[in-house]
Amino acid sequence: MPERKPRKDAARNRAAALAAADTLFTDCRSPEDVTMADIAEAAGVGKGTLFRAFGDRTGLIRALYGTRLEPLTTAVGSGPPPLGPATPPTERVPALLDALLCFKLDNRHLALALEGTGADSPYHTDHYEHWHTLLRDLLHGLPGLADPDFTAHALLAATRADLVEHLAGEKQVPREELRAQLEAFTARCLDATARPTPAPAPEGPQHADPRLPVEETRR
């Protein structure tokens, strides 16, 4: 049987709920201040409608986050350089991190709410796994990098929503300054991967060069 399309009123209610949640998360002081009851009232629908459409508060947050993130996801998946897949890793990694930082700056409270849904750890959310996997795979393309998996975690840590909120919200660090700091940090990480590993010093006592006369070795 063909898949049934959602009723017009269900689709309309979903769109209204996402729009209401978008406004509430943008204007809130803390993500925890936004409840399902608040969203239902702002959207003009019942709480039951929200739970049927999204499952729970986490499901609604993920849906809203995915909607906001869709342009960036599309640019990364099939767009032109510097975010698109045809870009060399040395250019794509910094561009990707900058784009993530800008997204977190523009969506601080929503990003905080989403990262707080993973058992109080952003590492347990689907979106983190997606970006970490992408970044790790890009880092695999850089010669000399011993541990792309850990490096991907370290670089993504600089874009965590709680850090962004601390710096941009509490410390009032300007947006362009944060972007410049992340760019410099990323460049240092990538530059370190390009440096040749020095050869280890030989172990044990050093012997004279057998090609030299005995007199030369004793000088």
Side-chain angles (χ1 to χ4, degrees):
M1 295 181 63
E3 183 180 354
R4 294 178 58 187
K5 295 183 178 180
R7 295 182 304 170
K8 289 184 178 180
D9 58 342
R12 185 168 55 248
N13 289 340
R14 179 183 175 88
L18 290 175
D22 195 334
T23 299
L24 289 172
F25 277 112
T26 299
D27 297 339
C28 71
R29 292 186 177 181
S30 169
E32 298 303 320
D33 293 339
V34 181
T35 67
M36 290 290 270
D38 295 330
I39 297 171
E41 180 179 359
V45 301
K47 283 179 62 176
T49 299
L50 292 187
F51 284 104
R52 285 191 297 272
F54 302 103
D56 55 17
R57 182 174 180 273
T58 298
L60 190 153
I61 291 172
R62 287 175 177 168
L64 178 56
Y65 194 90
T67 298
R68 288 193 183 182
L69 192 63
E70 186 174 356
L72 175 57
T73 302
T74 300
V76 172
S78 58
L83 291 175
T87 313
T90 51
E91 299 175 22
R92 197 178 184 203
V93 169
L96 174 61
L97 291 167
D98 180 66
L100 283 173
L101 174 63
C102 290
F103 181 83
K104 297 287 183 70
L105 286 168
D106 293 336
N107 301 274
R108 282 174 14 215
H109 292 148
L110 180 60
L112 277 172
L114 179 64
E115 291 185 3
T117 63
D120 294 327
S121 171
Y123 308 112
H124 297 161
T125 56
D126 293 338
H127 81 97
Y128 182 86
E129 182 65 25
H130 168 77
W131 294 113
H132 175 263
T133 299
L134 174 61
L135 191 58
R136 181 198 63 201
D137 292 346
L138 287 173
L139 293 172
H140 267 296
L142 298 177
L145 185 60
D147 195 343
D149 187 82
F150 176 80
T151 303
H153 281 304
L155 289 171
L156 284 174
T159 69
R160 276 182 50 143
D162 53 358
L163 176 61
V164 171
E165 171 61 22
H166 173 71
L167 295 175
E170 297 179 26
K171 298 298 184 180
Q172 296 293 302
V173 180
R175 178 190 188 94
E176 292 308 312
E177 183 176 340
L178 286 175
R179 295 181 66 191
Q181 291 171 341
L182 178 60
E183 181 182 12
F185 173 68
T186 304
R188 288 194 298 270
C189 290
L190 299 186
D191 180 64
T193 67
R195 297 175 185 170
T197 303
E203 299 180 359
Q206 300 299 305
H207 299 286
D209 190 336
R211 294 171 297 177
L212 296 176
V214 175
E215 293 79 4
E216 291 291 327
T217 63
R218 291 175 180 174
R219 289 181 182 177

